[in-house]
Amino acid sequence: MNLDYAQMHALAAILRNGSFEAAATELGVTPSAISQRLKALEDQAGTLLVNRGQPCTGTDAGRRLAAHMEHVGLLEGQLAKDLGAMVPTADSRLRIAVTADSLATWVLAALAEVPGLLFDLIVDDQDFSAEWLRRGEVVAAITSHARPVSGCDSVPLGVLRYVATCSPDFHAQYFPQGVTTDALKLAPMLRFDQKDELQASWMQRQLGRKITPPSHGLPSSQGFVDASLLGLGWGMNPEPLVKAHIETGRLVPLIPDTPFDTPLFWQSSRLLRTAIDPLTRAVRKTARVHLPPS
């Protein structure tokens, strides 16, 4: 398949910005030109690449082609550096999959260590973030899986420690006789989304059985902390976000001394290793500061 890079740039810009008009502004052409380039690329691919809407989104094929374009941009940027090119090139863009709790606690410090790069962050559960790598839609991912995805390197980062926490009033209301199976069945629980199994894993470890409490869906790491403080429910909160609240008594552990550690790994494309290496070094350095070792 011979790819026209003007057409590929148009596709990537549409998916980045969510509209033909914004893509045209970014590339300095007319919306009509963007539309024509996309149509030509879809004709060549023989399939729809963009779901037209507000915003525009990529089909499976469209996201894969756009990711390929981003990968090519990384390789070209690295080549320009290796050749000592005097002509400035567009900033390289790295699309990576991260966990919401890592994003809320330590990842941004790592990204700030790598100037000259643009980042497109995909937020997903640590048990599922590696799927973005398998589909070729990201160049790297923070994941709970140690085994490397085909074509990728995997390095351990440490563990993100969680504590099952709630407000003192919530604890007094729902657990006056302690945290029991019957009490947990009635106590409202916080759950990030349908993929979030942290609370279930903690309950299984502590009580040896599966429990399905009533739950609030709350897809926000800071929202988890705020909801816990307000007595909306209990949840598995990253220790870095709640340590100060526990020390001041605004939050209490459901059961003292029962942390839950989730090992994290950095998986990245072997093909793009040289281009990604500055970010990999920054991620490993920052993780050593913020994450306990496995």
Side-chain angles (χ1 to χ4, degrees):
M1 184 177 181
N2 295 319
L3 298 173
D4 182 299
Y5 281 94
Q7 297 169 6
M8 294 282 287
H9 277 298
L11 169 64
I14 292 169
L15 299 192
R16 247 192 330 267
N17 294 284
S19 73
F20 285 54
E21 292 76 13
T25 299
E26 177 184 322
L27 298 181
V29 298
T30 65
S32 176
I34 293 292
S35 180
Q36 291 171 14
R37 292 176 187 181
L38 177 62
K39 184 179 185 305
L41 186 59
E42 288 181 328
D43 288 344
Q44 183 181 7
T47 186
L48 190 69
L49 301 176
V50 172
N51 297 311
R52 278 71 167 172
Q54 297 295 330
C56 293
T57 58
T59 63
D60 289 343
R63 292 195 304 272
R64 183 66 185 88
L65 280 174
H68 173 76
M69 190 68 250
E70 304 289 5
H71 297 176
V72 169
L74 284 174
L75 292 172
E76 290 179 344
Q78 185 62 48
L79 179 62
K81 291 179 183 178
D82 293 344
L83 295 177
M86 301 301 294
V87 180
T89 59
D91 288 335
S92 300
R93 182 181 295 272
L94 286 172
R95 194 167 196 239
I96 59 179
V98 302
T99 68
D101 292 332
S102 292
L103 183 60
T105 53
W106 66 276
V107 165
L108 290 179
L111 304 188
E113 291 284 325
V114 193
L117 291 176
L118 297 175
F119 297 101
D120 187 3
L121 303 184
I122 305 298
V123 178
D124 206 344
D125 186 272
Q126 62 266 12
D127 291 332
F128 295 87
S129 52
E131 291 299 323
W132 293 86
L133 269 174
R134 290 190 180 92
R135 296 195 299 265
E137 295 186 35
V138 298
V139 299
I142 294 172
T143 174
S144 60
H145 297 290
R147 184 175 181 178
V149 172
S150 178
C152 294
D153 297 317
S154 178
V155 295
L157 297 175
V159 300
L160 186 54
R161 179 159 294 166
Y162 291 84
V163 183
T165 45
C166 65
S167 70
D169 288 345
F170 185 95
H171 199 285
Q173 178 181 355
Y174 287 98
F175 307 116
Q177 306 302 320
V179 178
T180 64
T181 298
D182 289 339
L184 280 171
K185 287 180 179 179
L186 299 176
M189 180 182 77
L190 306 175
R191 193 177 184 195
F192 193 88
D193 57 23
Q194 294 303 310
K195 297 177 180 178
D196 180 11
E197 294 296 329
L198 278 175
Q199 286 73 218
S201 297
W202 180 83
M203 288 185 288
Q204 180 74 39
R205 177 179 295 181
Q206 300 307 318
L207 298 174
R209 59 180 297 181
K210 184 175 181 180
I211 304 170
T212 307
S215 62
H216 301 286
L218 186 56
S220 165
S221 297
Q222 187 57 50
F224 251 57
V225 177
D226 294 340
S228 299
L229 289 167
L230 292 168
L232 191 63
W234 72 271
M236 303 300 295
N237 282 301
E239 186 179 55
L241 295 183
V242 296
K243 184 177 181 180
H245 294 306
I246 293 174
E247 291 173 349
T248 60
R250 298 185 66 203
L251 289 176
V252 296
L254 264 67
I255 304 176
D257 303 318
T258 58
F260 191 91
D261 290 347
T262 299
L264 295 178
F265 300 85
W266 174 253
Q267 294 208 31
S268 57
S269 168
R270 197 170 298 135
L271 175 65
L272 300 170
R273 180 187 293 161
T274 301
I276 298 172
D277 189 55
L279 176 60
T280 296
R281 291 197 303 269
V283 166
R284 298 183 71 176
K285 173 186 173 183
T286 307
R288 284 195 296 270
V289 174
H290 292 275
L291 301 179
S294 301

